[in-house]
Amino acid sequence: MSEELKPQVFSNRWADAVGPGGHGSPRDLCGCIEQISTEPQRPTRFHRERQDTTAPGWIRLLELVEEAAADGREVFKPLVELTAEQRRQVVTLPPTIAKLTSVKHLVLYGSNLVRIPPEIGAMRSLEEFTPYTSYRLHWFPYEITRCPDLRRSTVSTRAIYGNDKRRPPFPSLSAAATGTQGIDLEDLDPGVWGATSIRTCSVCDQHIEGVNLHQAWISLWTSGADVLPLLVNACSTTCIEALSVPPEGYVQVPHSGGPGVEQPPAGRQPR
């Protein structure tokens, strides 16, 4: 066989990021973002799932976070320690990830996550973030911008809101549409607010009273590779006004989402 006809063999760079197999799929299907050429795309909304804190996968994840915090490890790949069934049970990360101050690389390859908690902002040593093929993870908390050393990320960008390939719409934010009078910020519907509770401002870290919640979307560089859609939970319009200007090729101001937000044409690459 000639050299030109020999099949090429490529190494699997994610081989050590995949957990053990088992019965059933380790993640649920997601049809939130259309991948076919449909104009206009239908409205989107947050995933409604709440984390089952009695599930074996969640309990094991809590243990793994404590172990990683105790031994000061720099690479944290919790999902490889879970069975396929357990991985499917985990739809978010626990607030205790704030303890992982030594972790430089967080690997969440192929997860079933639908949201990341704002406590990721406390992982101040984080340099690399890998939620690749987490197809139900459509957005990220603004608090990830607090990780000063974050330089690399591997994200399935076609699955995120506002991506430049398809420009799927952002979910409408209820705080902008209806206000927050009478809302209990400790017991929220994640399908409406993107979280089950909101306690502190994404920008200044001050405590948020229910009537003072201001939510906004913004697209920003969060590493050397990706522009990500970020959800901001702010305590005031002053904090919203303090946000950075998004890169060219994305909505240039903080916004409240919904199909009425005009995005640049699909396929337009940022500079």
Side-chain angles (χ1 to χ4, degrees):
M1 180 180 294
S2 70
E3 289 293 327
E4 292 184 358
L5 297 179
K6 284 184 178 179
Q8 290 183 289
V9 178
F10 298 94
S11 61
N12 180 5
R13 60 181 296 204
W14 309 114
D16 63 349
V18 181
H23 297 292
S25 171
R27 55 190 173 185
D28 297 299
L29 296 176
C30 177
C32 293
I33 293 180
E34 301 171 63
Q35 300 298 330
I36 59 175
S37 297
T38 302
E39 295 291 348
Q41 290 208 46
R42 63 176 180 269
T44 57
R45 65 177 302 164
F46 293 112
H47 278 273
R48 305 189 70 92
E49 293 95 322
R50 291 177 180 267
Q51 178 61 56
D52 179 359
T53 57
T54 67
W58 178 255
I59 294 172
R60 179 58 179 144
L61 178 60
L62 293 177
E63 296 172 346
L64 293 169
V65 170
E66 294 300 323
E67 292 173 11
D71 63 30
R73 74 187 65 175
E74 295 186 353
V75 179
F76 187 44
K77 299 185 289 186
L79 300 184
V80 303
E81 304 290 337
L82 306 182
T83 66
E85 181 181 5
Q86 290 174 335
R87 295 198 296 278
R88 193 168 186 170
Q89 295 168 351
V90 175
V91 298
T92 187
L93 300 178
T96 50
I97 62 170
K99 298 180 180 181
L100 303 179
T101 54
S102 296
V103 169
K104 295 183 178 181
H105 187 188
L106 177 59
V107 182
L108 301 169
Y109 180 89
S111 78
N112 199 38
L113 298 177
V114 298
R115 65 186 72 92
I116 299 285
E119 285 80 7
I120 193 173
M123 298 178 63
R124 299 302 176 88
S125 297
L126 193 64
E127 297 177 357
E128 185 169 3
F129 180 45
T130 308
Y132 193 49
T133 71
S134 296
Y135 295 124
R136 304 205 307 154
L137 196 56
H138 307 310
W139 60 277
F140 300 86
Y142 179 80
E143 285 82 350
I144 198 172
T145 62
R146 297 181 186 175
C147 300
D149 296 326
L150 183 59
R151 295 291 182 270
R152 296 182 298 279
S153 61
T154 309
V155 176
S156 294
T157 52
R158 289 180 181 270
I160 61 176
Y161 300 135
N163 74 74
D164 60 0
K165 306 296 190 303
R166 296 287 299 118
R167 301 296 186 188
F170 294 73
S172 296
L173 296 176
S174 289
T178 64
T180 56
Q181 185 71 37
I183 298 295
D184 182 359
L185 295 186
E186 292 290 336
D187 185 22
L188 298 173
D189 180 351
V192 175
W193 302 92
T196 55
S197 65
I198 299 172
R199 298 183 177 91
T200 58
C201 178
S202 300
V203 183
C204 72
D205 207 29
Q206 296 298 307
H207 178 71
I208 295 181
E209 300 293 342
V211 295
N212 294 328
L213 174 62
H214 300 263
Q215 286 190 306
W217 290 112
I218 193 165
S219 298
L220 296 174
W221 289 106
T222 54
S223 69
D226 296 309
V227 176
L228 299 181
L230 306 177
L231 179 61
V232 181
N233 294 308
C235 65
S236 66
T237 56
T238 300
C239 282
I240 295 293
E241 292 167 357
L243 298 173
S244 300
V245 177
E248 183 182 349
Y250 293 86
V251 180
Q252 291 293 288
V253 294
H255 59 90
S256 59
V261 173
E262 186 174 347
Q263 300 189 62
R268 179 177 177 180
Q269 300 289 332
R271 291 182 181 176

